[in-house]
Amino acid sequence: MINFQFSRARDVADAILLLTGHPGAKLIAGGTNLIDLMKENVEQPSRLIDISRLPLRTIEETADGGLRVGALVPNSGLAYDPLIEQRYPLLASAILAGASAQLRNMASVGGNLMQRTRCAYFYDTATPCNKRTRSSGCSAIDGLNRNHAILGASNSCIATNPSDMSVALAALDALVHIAGPSGERTMALTDFHRLPGETPDIDTNLEADEIITAVELPPRGFASNYSYLKIRDRLSYAFALVSVAAVLELEGNAISEARVALGGVAHKPWRSAEAEMALRGQAATVEHFSRFADSLLQEAKARSHNGFKIELARRAIVRTLMQAASATPQSQAHKKIA
Amino acid sequence: MADAANQVPDRIPINLIVNGNRRTLDVVPWTTLLDALRDHLALTGTKKGCDHGQCGACTVLVDGRRINSCLTLAVMKDGAEITTIEGFARDGALHPLQQAFIDHDAFQCGYCTPGQICSAAGLLAEGHAGDADEIRELMSGNLCRCGAYPNIVAAIQQAMSRP
Amino acid sequence: MNAYVGTPTSRVDGRAKVTGAAKYAGEFAADGLLHGFVVAATIPCGRIARLDTSEALKVKGVLDVLTHTHRPPLAGKDDAWKDEVAPAEGSPFRPLYDDSIKFNGQPIALVVAEDWETAKFAATLVRVEYREEQAFATDLDAGRSKATEVKQPHEPRGDAVGALAKAAVRHDADYLIPTEHHNPMELFASTVVWDSSGRLTVYDKTQGVQNVHKFLCSVFDKKPDDIRVLSPYVGGAFGSGLRPQYQVVLAMLAALALRRSVRVVLTRQQMYGLGHRPATIEHVGLGAKSDGTLEAVTHEATAVTSRYEDFARNDSGWAEQLYKSPNSRYSHKLVRLDVSTPCDMRAPGAASGVCALECAMDELAVALKLDPIELRLKCYSDRDQSEDLPYTSKQLRECYARGAEAFGWSKRNPASRSMRDGKELVGWGMATGVWEALQMPVAARIGLTANGHAEVSCAASDIGTGTYTIVAQVAADALGLPIENIDVRLADSTLPQAPVEGGSWMAASSAHAVLGAADDIRQELIRLASAMPSSPLAGVDVADVILVGGTIAKAGDMGSAVSIADAMRHGKLERIEKQKLNHFAEDKSYARNTHSAVFAEVKVDEQLGVIRVTRVVSAVAAGRILNTKTGRSQIMGGVVWGIGMALHEETVMDHRFGRIMNANIAEYHIPVNADVQDIDVIFVEERDDRINTLGVKGLGEIGIVGVPAAIANAIYHATGKRIRRFPVTLDKLLA
């Protein structure tokens, strides 16, 4: 870990002021990802601004019947919140699929959105990585890429976003509330993370002097027909090879709305409005879900070691949608896949 | 004279309530709670197994909740109440979890054990684990290379049934 | 009297471990303790062209940066660096010795500072330039053609190659075991405490304090009394602590350079530069008659070693112990690559070799349409064929029977993909395990005080294996004292002799050292008691007298009892101390092995390939079990290792950089709690009057052997897919 200064923000405005006054400064809340990366010398902030004591820890009802979740609500606090459990069980399930109980107690909602890739080359300062050092080259494209992206990757970067929570938030059409020097703004979660393009070092559309203040959940929680299925190399405490967040609204057996977000396959949670639209009015059957999966994965591109992810994702999508359709969501504790 | 790049940051005074005792210490911001406990306060019961939040050996309770002390900056916990393994036994009497771990041989080398016990205490307080599968899942943040997992689950079940 | 031996006695060090009182190597304090942080090479092969430490030295709190050009002297001859378990062939690695880079992650500098964080920070300021001199190689697959054969562990019998070619039913395949790392939970650490007299007390993470002691004396040209090595608690090692590791050399260097106490703790990543289970290609050929009896066994292992040492173990010879065959050929080849030297890792050789053999046997059983147990019984060998010797004991048949019964094997439908549970395919597989029953010279000292307390001491380590506990049990029984009165001291180089703790030999070896010393105590007590006025023991046959309940008594006649306290008071002795080296009858007319039959149930999601190991039964025959509680834990731990080996563990290297890319414990997967469900351990009764007095064989290794194969065979049974490249991950099932 390199030398850095430490200060504590008094309020949101102070945090923004500190960010603005100190290029190279970073906000710290739970620290679960940032401190890890600082210990690896991957992240080298000149200053840490402690925002962990800011009053952004509440979950409040919004006027339209949704929920506004403060950026500092711990992941576990969110997952076990009765309102979340009742109205947004997909989100609770996705959070509980990630990390460990200890890390979920530490990690904040805002920090979860900011977590960086687990690409081994990104973590290893002895190897080139465009995400770590712009224009240094991508070691994964012709290297070990079993865990890497099959969708939305570029010739600069094939890293994936490791978050489980974000995948559920993407499926729920969540909004991110952001404060900055010029005021507040709101961004769709699906617009928050970027594709790598030529600037894979920039993960999100958050500006350097901005702070996430809340995540807003729209009223529709799809609490009846949902599932989050995470496939990984061991049964817990591992990052996703592929994960699927699926929610459905059914009229009888007909789909009136379907939303599916994929994790572990791209630089951001992956959705396709077009493919989802095509499911509307269809019966909830394996056949239709398979067609949907093919459509969602249409652009998928295999690298040397990750081709299996395409077929795995296809099957996982169908399975998760069937779980959602039959109202038998995947348990995160009981490992048999429903 | 060292330039900025070689400078060590200034120390910041903090207070921690550790196992019920108020402790004052001066820490550099980069000092983790784990290193503060082990190196500054000589509380080596809390273990360093990876230093990256991957093994759970450093688990302690902060304000009653289990966390990885290796990914926690001490300076950010100024004023917090910390419970480490050294704070479990009272007047020489073992905590029910400690006794259950002995009874069920829930460890071999013992290195992950303080973290397992702190994590188990957090698990019991959280109240989200009922059956064995739930215990297994919610204890999966604590690696045990000796492979004592089934005994750890049995020990926790014993502690759950005899609070 | 056996009040303790054979019972489920709780660990005597349990309280220390659950309260955090147990101190490990990196936790000992010293006045003015300094902290060292290692700077590691980032290339696998070449030379250090320039090492600039000037910026690091400017950091406040940094005292020194040691390098190959700036350090106290180190021994120059290979012999000085050869510890008791170093490979015979080669030149051991010497940290900070010269400018050569032999493996990626090699230590090239040690930053020493007042605190650990400062040392770690300053380490980022050390600038290194390398000269890469030649092409390097780290890939076993690519290097296979350059393998060189080493001495075969077993002589060939008959014409195995010819018989294999002619066999009615033949199975012939490669099985690949990847590089694996031990990953004990404790980070490798050494604390060297300097005192003003120049004596050095070294707390080291090691499986052998006397091995480290001798090594340090020769490397640093010190007299035995100058250095004392201790490791009272070891946070797991599994073989990684058999050889002295480089951090102890670095901590010594710094202590000598700065004349201060120094601690060096490696990072998890740096521990991937220590030894490892070598990647191995196991080629197994089995030829059988159509009735299932074997005609030929060939097993050729091709394993990785480093460029600088030849590390080889017995991977390929295990069929000699298990399966009768008139023709056999076993060979071991090495591929020298630019990696650190492999080392022993739980059941070295057997874990890999038997995994391949037992998968091959399963494939043969399928080809023969025989039940896998039936095939093994048809080939069952009552003799070790390599020397044509009977066994001191071998209850493997009973292991098959008891294990099968507990598992419910008779309900197995032999066809693959025939059993299912909803969307999951269910598979039942089995395999045999085998290991050696070794025993080594170990001495123990017992100091008995008149108040009926005894201190038992020995240099042996307890790496989680339970040595403290079994030593206390054996001593308590032999001395007729409650176990609470026994104080065990281990892992101090000044204590009576012990080799490294490994190979499953320490239970038998230490137990018999304790028995010997206790018997000397007994005889001394009988002498004292007999000499008392009107002693009930006067003139009694020494062989008839036992120590029981704090007394010296004729067996079966408590009326003859004399209390230890009375006897010692009468003899005017406050303390009796006896030290004894164990002694085992040298009898080369028997083979000595432990055996197991392992049964595994897997459930595999048919569509997604997600594998769950839902049940494992391990039936073990390992002589007398000294402690059924800690013994069961050891086997259970071995089973968990087997689950990891089957499904998870693989050190992944990018051969373009010659660099390990999952050098952490998040992406190097070992099983977590959720991966482990029901494990049933059965100790099959195996009386063995030949092997040693107690009939003890040891348990540390046998628990893992066979488990990966049983799981892989179960996966085949579930899915019809035979995966021969370990670990079996879901992508391989989907392919």
Side-chain angles (χ1 to χ4, degrees), chain A residues 176-195:
Chain A
V176 185
H177 289 267
I178 294 164
S182 47
E184 297 188 7
R185 61 179 181 134
T186 304
M187 194 186 293
L189 186 281
T190 48
D191 294 331
F192 184 79
H193 298 101
R194 296 158 54 100
L195 290 179

Side-chain angles (χ1 to χ4, degrees), chain A residues 1 3 8 29 32 35-36 39-40 50 53 80 100-106 236-237 332 334-335, chain B residues 7 9 51-54 59 65-66 68 70-73 75-76 78 119 128 131 133 137 140-142:
Chain A
M1 205 180 290
N3 177 2
R8 183 169 292 147
T32 54
I35 292 176
D36 178 31
K39 288 182 178 188
E40 300 283 6
D50 178 5
R53 296 173 191 225
Y80 292 120
S100 66
Q102 291 94 313
L103 290 167
R104 293 192 294 266
N105 277 342
M106 302 164 72
S236 187
Y237 206 17
Q332 301 306 340
H334 304 281
K335 299 299 177 179
Chain B
Q7 264 173 33
D51 215 21
H52 287 276
Q54 302 168 352
T59 303
R65 290 146 44 99
R66 50 176 165 162
N68 298 112
C70 74
L71 292 181
T72 303
L73 296 180
V75 71
M76 288 175 68
D78 188 10
S119 191
H128 300 300
D131 62 21
D133 276 350
E137 169 62 18
S140 282
N142 291 83

Side-chain angles (χ1 to χ4, degrees), chain C residues 17-35:
Chain C
K17 286 176 174 174
V18 301
T19 56
K23 278 202 187 301
Y24 297 77
E27 299 174 345
F28 287 87
D31 287 341
L33 183 70
L34 299 176
H35 297 258

Side-chain angles (χ1 to χ4, degrees), chain C residues 503-581:
Chain C
S504 301
W505 59 58
M506 196 53 87
S509 308
S510 61
H512 289 85
V514 172
L515 272 191
D519 195 58
D520 284 1
I521 297 260
R522 183 183 68 97
Q523 299 204 27
E524 176 74 5
L525 288 171
I526 295 170
R527 193 182 62 75
L528 294 173
S530 306
M532 288 167 71
S534 59
S535 168
L537 295 171
V540 77
D541 184 347
V542 170
D544 292 340
V545 179
I546 59 168
L547 303 181
V548 57
T551 70
I552 308 140
K554 218 172 140 182
D557 175 15
M558 282 311 283
S560 67
V562 175
S563 83
I564 288 175
D566 286 347
M568 288 180 71
R569 195 178 311 121
H570 184 264
K572 297 193 168 48
L573 286 177
E574 190 46 41
R575 181 182 166 90
I576 303 173
E577 188 173 290
K578 296 289 178 188
Q579 180 170 331
K580 192 91 168 186
L581 181 68

Side-chain angles (χ1 to χ4, degrees), chain C residues 649-669:
Chain C
E649 295 191 40
E650 178 175 18
T651 304
V652 179
M653 188 171 268
D654 186 325
H655 299 300
R656 298 169 305 167
F657 303 118
R659 198 163 163 81
I660 294 167
M661 295 312 300
N662 61 342
N664 59 56
I665 202 161
E667 271 91 6
Y668 181 102
H669 292 131

